Amino acid sequence: MKCWPAERAESMLFLGDIYGAMGYPEEQIEWFHKALQTDPGRREPLIKLAQTYMRRNEPFPANFYATAALEVPWAGYYGSPKSFYENEPHEILYWAKRWLGDQEGTKRHIMKSFEYDRDHPKYIFDTKFYFAY
């Protein structure tokens, strides 16, 4: 699309999702990076990169992109998923920090995820590994 940056970036994210579904992870990552370069003021490219690395079981880049996403404030774009600005980056971070050996970081981010969604079965299940009840 040759429109405003947010819509161009959204198209690039869509292409990245398509490449991922087709089994082309490098092309998927490339399109997510292009979306980030096109509209760096949104979390979506960063979260999608973090999710991709999480699915690939690569905690270092997942941690990097999810941490970067937390630095991007809400921009008000109508297509932005609410969870990307709430629990999603923290969910990725508690997974990544667990694999990186940062137990305090894991606890901090699992509790932040839990703050956003107290009924999420995954969060309830995972808290038992870090807190005594």
Side-chain angles (χ1 to χ4, degrees):
M1 293 180 78
K2 300 260 187 221
C3 300
W4 55 299
E7 287 190 351
R8 282 198 324 269
E10 196 66 30
S11 295
M12 293 172 186
L13 293 172
F14 186 63
L15 282 168
D17 288 338
I18 291 169
Y19 276 110
M22 291 172 43
Y24 297 106
E26 299 311 316
E27 289 83 352
Q28 178 182 36
I29 289 169
E30 180 184 336
W31 280 105
F32 291 161
H33 277 119
K34 286 180 182 182
L36 179 60
Q37 292 168 340
T38 301
D39 189 12
R42 292 175 53 219
R43 284 190 184 185
E44 286 78 354
L46 293 165
I47 294 293
K48 286 193 173 266
L49 283 160
Q51 289 170 334
T52 300
Y53 284 109
M54 186 173 154
R55 281 191 300 274
R56 291 170 61 160
N57 202 29
E58 296 183 41
F60 281 105
N63 182 69
F64 174 82
Y65 288 112
T67 300
L70 290 177
E71 296 297 318
V72 180
W74 171 256
Y77 179 67
Y78 67 91
S80 297
K82 183 179 174 187
S83 66
F84 286 8
Y85 291 85
E86 292 181 352
N87 62 303
E88 193 78 32
H90 298 287
E91 183 177 327
I92 295 165
L93 283 167
Y94 88 70
W95 171 85
K97 291 192 179 298
R98 183 185 87 212
W99 288 107
L100 296 174
D102 180 358
Q103 186 156 345
E104 289 307 310
T106 301
K107 287 179 181 181
R108 185 173 59 253
H109 288 288
I110 197 169
M111 290 310 296
K112 195 69 176 169
S113 298
F114 196 63
E115 283 177 30
Y116 286 112
D117 189 354
R118 293 202 175 275
D119 297 324
H120 197 298
K122 181 180 185 327
Y123 304 160
I124 293 168
F125 179 81
D126 287 351
T127 58
K128 73 179 179 184
F129 297 111
Y130 303 100
F131 302 99
Y133 9 113

